Amino acid sequence: MKFIVSSSYLLKQLQVLGSVINSNNTLPILDNFLFELNNNELTVSASDLETTMSATLSIDSKSKGSVAVPAKLLLEILKTFPEQPLTFTVEDNNTVEISSNSGKYALAYAAGEEFPKSVNLEDPSVTLVPADVLATAVSKTIFAAGNDDLRPVMSGVFFQFSPEGLTFVATDAHKLVKYARTDVKASQVADFIMPKKPLNILKSILGSSDAEVKIEYNDSNATFSFDNYILMCRLIDGKYPNYEAVIPKENPNKLMIDRSLFLSSVRRVAIFSNKTTHQIRLKIAGAELNVSAEDIDYSNKAEERLTCDYQGDDLQIGFNSRFLTEMLTNLQSDMIMLEMSLPNRAGILTPVDGLEEGETVTMLVMPVMLNS
């Protein structure tokens, strides 16, 4: 088994796949990349049992076979090469020899058969989503997903597909983000919960792609195929909470304000807030928004006045500044709308402008109790 490949081309593909590999694996074979050679096609795979990703590379070869090569060692050596062709030769003494312009390097390999086989989806449902839509949906929602091991369903992003459109939801019980598209549709109704890790990998490579992503899914697994990549992952088992019930429908108090102005104000004031609660207070009366925070233990306090466009009753409400900052940073619009009903009901944050047609973003943030 022998093939020739460009060093930088191989490195670029392997760095993407390398993000799948865990730093401490239960099975030693998972510390390897699986190389499967079929004449001029080389398929490289990486897996952590839950998520498996493979890339297909065009190379120069006339042989077939499969070997598992140590991932860390291979990535380290590839990073040091300037752009040049590398020749990989599988020798009889259980080593793979890499020949470059300047030298030879031998790595021990494991048999390709030991590598876990990827699951074949039986009769999956299929939806096509443009790469940029999927990348936006993931980056808009993933930050709101939880990290609680006791509630695994909330540690992923909920995908809801229907002939009306696509909806992506993430929540950790303190904040919730719902991203919806009516311009991209699925043929039938389906929903599943995607874990964070494969989504983060997708997010990092989809941004530069203009392909269509083919999503195939059944009850337990989902596959994303685009360009020369295939990402397969196990879905989170369980029923997603009824998020629609949490979003308050009647919100008579509406505040419209410049996003970057509000964000920098919240960031400044938050420095003076209590380090455990991160609580800031919004006091709205007329066209004036008063943002304040106080840390009684250290006698630190801050207060800022902003002008805003407000319709509703005078209101005082407390929020966790970290959640508010995350959400405001994640929105790209110039103006945002904050809708509220009562100091103990969730506030709803939506962008006023900057959305594509058929795109909606709704962010919900739970208030914190104010100590009067």
Side-chain angles (χ1 to χ4, degrees), residues 135-178:
T136 309
V138 173
S139 57
K140 282 268 179 285
T141 50
I142 197 162
F143 76 94
N147 292 317
D148 188 352
D149 294 338
L150 298 173
R151 289 191 286 191
V153 289
M154 284 181 162
S155 68
V157 174
F158 183 52
F159 281 46
Q160 241 183 339
F161 291 170
S162 80
E164 278 79 67
L166 314 184
T167 308
F168 304 82
V169 183
T171 181
D172 62 358
H174 301 289
K175 54 185 185 287
L176 178 145
V177 179
K178 173 185 170 189

Side-chain angles (χ1 to χ4, degrees), residues 242-297:
N242 178 5
Y243 63 88
E244 287 291 357
V246 194
I247 303 175
K249 300 287 178 275
E250 297 294 316
N251 301 299
N253 304 317
K254 298 185 190 320
L255 162 80
M256 200 156 90
I257 191 164
D258 181 289
R259 183 186 68 89
S260 50
L261 205 68
F262 187 33
L263 173 59
S264 47
S265 176
V266 169
R267 277 192 173 137
R268 268 194 303 276
V269 171
I271 298 169
F272 296 86
S273 67
N274 180 301
K275 293 293 165 271
T276 46
T277 62
H278 304 284
Q279 176 186 307
I280 61 165
R281 179 191 299 251
L282 305 184
K283 191 171 166 189
I284 319 155
E288 188 172 280
L289 165 66
N290 197 301
V291 185
S292 62
E294 185 172 16
D295 189 352
I296 297 163
D297 306 343

